[in-house]
Amino acid sequence: MVKTTTQPAPRLSRAGAWSGLYNPALVMRDIGYVLPGFFISLIAFSLLVPLASLGVATLIVWLGALLLPATLLLATKFAELSRTRAAWWGAAVPAPAYRAPGPGLGGFMRIMADGRRWLDLAFETLVAFPVRAVTFSIGIAWLAAALGGTTWFIWSPFLPENDSVFPGNMLRAIFGDALTHEAAYSRAAESLTYTLFGATALALTPVVMRALAAFDISLTRAGLGGSASSTQGNGATKTPAADGLSTSQPPLASFTGWSWILIGFAAVATIAVSWPLLATLYDVHPAIAMVLAAAEATAVALALRLPAIAIALGTIAPAATALITAAPVETPWPWPVTALIVQALLAFIIGLRHHWRWVLAALALPQLAVIAAVGLSGAGFTAGTISSLVISSSVALGLGLVGIVLQGILENRGALRAERQHSAELDAKQRELSERNLVARELHDVVAHSMSVVSIQANTAKYRIPGLGDEAEAEFAAIAQSSRQALSEMRGLLATLRDSDGTAPLAPQPTLSDLPALIEGSRNSGAEITFTQSGGVTTEPVLSATGLTVYRVVQESLANAMRHAPGAAIDVTVTLGDDEITVAVVNSHAPVEAPPAPGSGLGLTGLRERVAALGGTVTAGPTGETGAGEGFAVHATLPR
């Protein structure tokens, strides 16, 4: 059974994301990633939104049943383009598993049941387009400021006189009366100021462009990356079945990735709504309103990973809001609408990802803090106040329970998926064990039996055949010894094949120090072998895997020479260098032609695989021109 593995996609580490900032090629790479992204997203948004809207609107007349799958396929193509751009930038995004379209019209319409494609549509329209519009605007404005400022002294003389007072006001604020009015508001001062601004912007351009690119890449990975569960244990993506339905469907996407995307948007929306609401409707100072809104947004953002800090911020912010806005107002108090939504969202996120005790803290602590703030404010518990407290606690409790229930559902689905994967792994292991047992039975019943017969015949030859000479008896003794060694190795191999838990005892593997014994045993069979070793082969430290491979190369080469060229002289040379080990086994032309041996070439193939696994090379072929006097040589080189 052959196992295939794939390397995991490289992660966008901090060191990798911020390395080579001032390398011109990498700066151009960042610019080339950020700026075109907006135009690609603009095309995607312009195509996908009208097509999706038309598909939904015409679904009742069945036209949408054809239009929506096509829209989803187009969204997937744009998602693949986003992953390709990320890979070009240097941060590969692993592709998730999609349901393949089935045959016929019904199979095409089944695409609408693939939630992963709907997420691609949502990402390319609702996430990528606004984000890349912002990054493009920042990037192009920053580049314009850097280039315009650094070249100001070139083209500013051609501009008409204007009433711009910004450079002069700034210089007077910095230097005060030390700088005269004429000098501060002169064309030279203006040119110098804008040039300095441009130089500063130019110096920070690599940092800004890298930040924009890294932010876009992070969003792409979170929204379009496949989850860990969408790959097999070896890293290969699950292949859907022919009908488009896989036996074990992976999650739609990385749950954590989309959680961060949604939480990020919720945090931005919190600041965008809460800040002006507190400043206008509740007459809170804009700076204080900004701090309170930022605290609420930070609590939402931290709820996924740091529930304790999130609950602390979610407790302090509404209590401070209640104290600051204690004056009677015609709006909900002590829980403004935005604060109420933040507390409910906080309870939901914590219930979705953390233990229920954290949910209880997220529900109780903010309410108790606000009640205490109402008591300290002296406003009293009016009907409106009590109503606000009841509504906020009820909404937060409801969403917290929803989060807890969803967490249980997701955990059960994850456990079921893990159980299915475990069952599949057990089935695969059982099939592999059955195959190994089959091979072991064949080896035992055929090869081991034949070797036992050879051993018995060699041991009993001197008793069965009268008049054997000393040389013949020695030859049969050598045959008996070789067969016993082969049987011993065969028993170890059979034990390994039948071992199901890795506890079978393993026989010691040959090393470089066993080469002389191998050569001597081969000489006992009548072969004329010259063995040369140099470089301290038997004393210098060599990895056990390398030593075993050298031994097997010599062993297989000797066996081939004696089988295919009986009677030929064989020269074996092993040289240990500082960085590599070389092996050469060369035999001369055989005095008699040997009959073809079954399985010719299989041994050399195995040697090449062994040596290649260690990073070495093997060459094998005739030693001279084709014809009489031709021998054969095997050369192997292994890194030490």
Side-chain angles (χ1 to χ4, degrees), residues 449-467:
H449 173 73
S450 300
M451 291 301 301
S452 298
V453 172
V454 171
S455 177
I456 293 172
Q457 289 178 336
N459 281 317
T460 61
K462 62 182 180 181
Y463 304 110
R464 295 182 291 101
I465 305 174

Side-chain angles (χ1 to χ4, degrees), residues 446-578:
V446 179
V447 181
H449 173 73
S450 300
M451 291 301 301
S452 298
V453 172
V454 171
S455 177
I456 293 172
Q457 289 178 336
N459 281 317
T460 61
K462 62 182 180 181
Y463 304 110
R464 295 182 291 101
I465 305 174
L468 281 178
D470 293 339
E471 293 184 358
E473 287 189 10
E475 187 72 20
F476 278 114
I479 294 173
Q481 175 62 28
S482 297
S483 62
R484 282 194 297 270
Q485 182 178 354
L487 278 173
S488 177
E489 294 181 357
M490 181 71 70
R491 292 189 188 97
L493 176 60
L494 292 177
T496 302
L497 285 173
R498 289 195 171 108
D499 181 26
S500 60
D501 54 5
T503 58
L506 300 178
Q509 295 294 322
T511 62
L512 290 176
S513 60
D514 296 312
L515 281 177
L518 172 64
I519 299 297
E520 189 62 30
S522 300
R523 285 174 179 158
N524 292 337
S525 65
E528 180 184 346
I529 303 175
T530 302
F531 177 47
T532 304
Q533 58 185 18
S534 61
V537 175
T538 58
T539 58
E540 295 291 331
V542 175
L543 293 177
S544 58
T546 304
L548 173 62
T549 302
V550 171
Y551 183 93
R552 295 304 185 196
V553 169
V554 175
Q555 184 184 45
E556 180 63 26
S557 301
L558 288 176
N560 285 342
M562 292 187 292
R563 180 166 61 249
H564 300 292
I570 306 172
D571 181 67
V572 179
T573 304
V574 178
T575 305
L576 178 64
D578 294 334

